[in-house]
Amino acid sequence: MLKKLLEADAIGLRLEWVGGLPLWEAQPTYRHQKAVDRIRQSLRPKEGAPCACVHVANVYVRFPDGSYKRPDIAIFCREPEELDEAITLLPEAVVEVVSRGYEAKDLEIGPRFYLSQGVKDVVVFDPYTLLVLHLRRDGASRYVSPVELELEAGCLLTV
C-alpha cells in the first residue's frame, strides 16, 4: 500500500487511505506550508512535561486500523523508530492546516478519524479565516489565531 501512496506523491498528489477509502488532494500551497512551519517552530514541551514533543511534517503514519494518513504535523512523545517507512507509533496529537477546496477532508473526516484511532488532541487551523479548532474526545473548543494551546501530552504550541 505504501508503495502506491508514494507513487501518487511522485506525480504531485497527496494520497491517503482512510478506513478503506482513498482520499486525495493536490500538493500544499505556500500559504499552507508557511502556516505549518510557523506552528512547528512554536512547538515545545511545557516545563517539567515528560513528553519530548517530537514533531514531523507530512509523513505517512499507519494507524491501528491499517489506514495511512499524512498529518500536516504529527506530534509524538518520543522519536518514532521508522525512518524509511510509514510511522506506526500513534501520535499524541496532530495538527491539520485547512487546504482550500479540501475543507471537508480537513474539518470533518480527519478529526473524527484521528480521535477514533486514539489521538488525544486534534488541532485544525484555517489560514483563510484564522479559525482554530481544538478537539479532544470530551469536546471541542474554537479560537481565533493566534492562540497558544496546551496539549494533553504537555506540549505547547501557538496556532
Side-chain angles (χ1 to χ4, degrees), residues 43-121:
L43 259 158
R44 65 210 179 277
K46 183 178 174 181
E47 190 172 326
C51 184
C53 303
V54 175
H55 51 91
V56 296
N58 198 28
V59 173
Y60 278 113
V61 177
R62 184 166 184 212
F63 285 87
D65 75 343
S67 294
Y68 287 84
K69 275 196 67 52
R70 285 169 60 164
D72 289 322
I73 304 170
I75 302 165
F76 304 93
C77 282
R78 63 177 173 82
E79 290 280 341
E81 294 175 9
E82 299 87 357
L83 297 176
D84 298 314
E85 56 201 44
I87 294 170
T88 58
L89 179 64
L90 183 68
E92 294 291 320
V94 297
V95 178
E96 290 287 4
V97 176
V98 174
S99 295
R100 203 170 254 164
Y102 300 92
E103 292 88 354
K105 176 184 169 291
D106 293 329
L107 291 166
E108 297 172 26
I109 297 169
R112 274 190 229 127
F113 170 77
Y114 290 128
L115 292 172
S116 76
Q117 295 300 300
V119 175
K120 296 174 187 161
D121 289 272

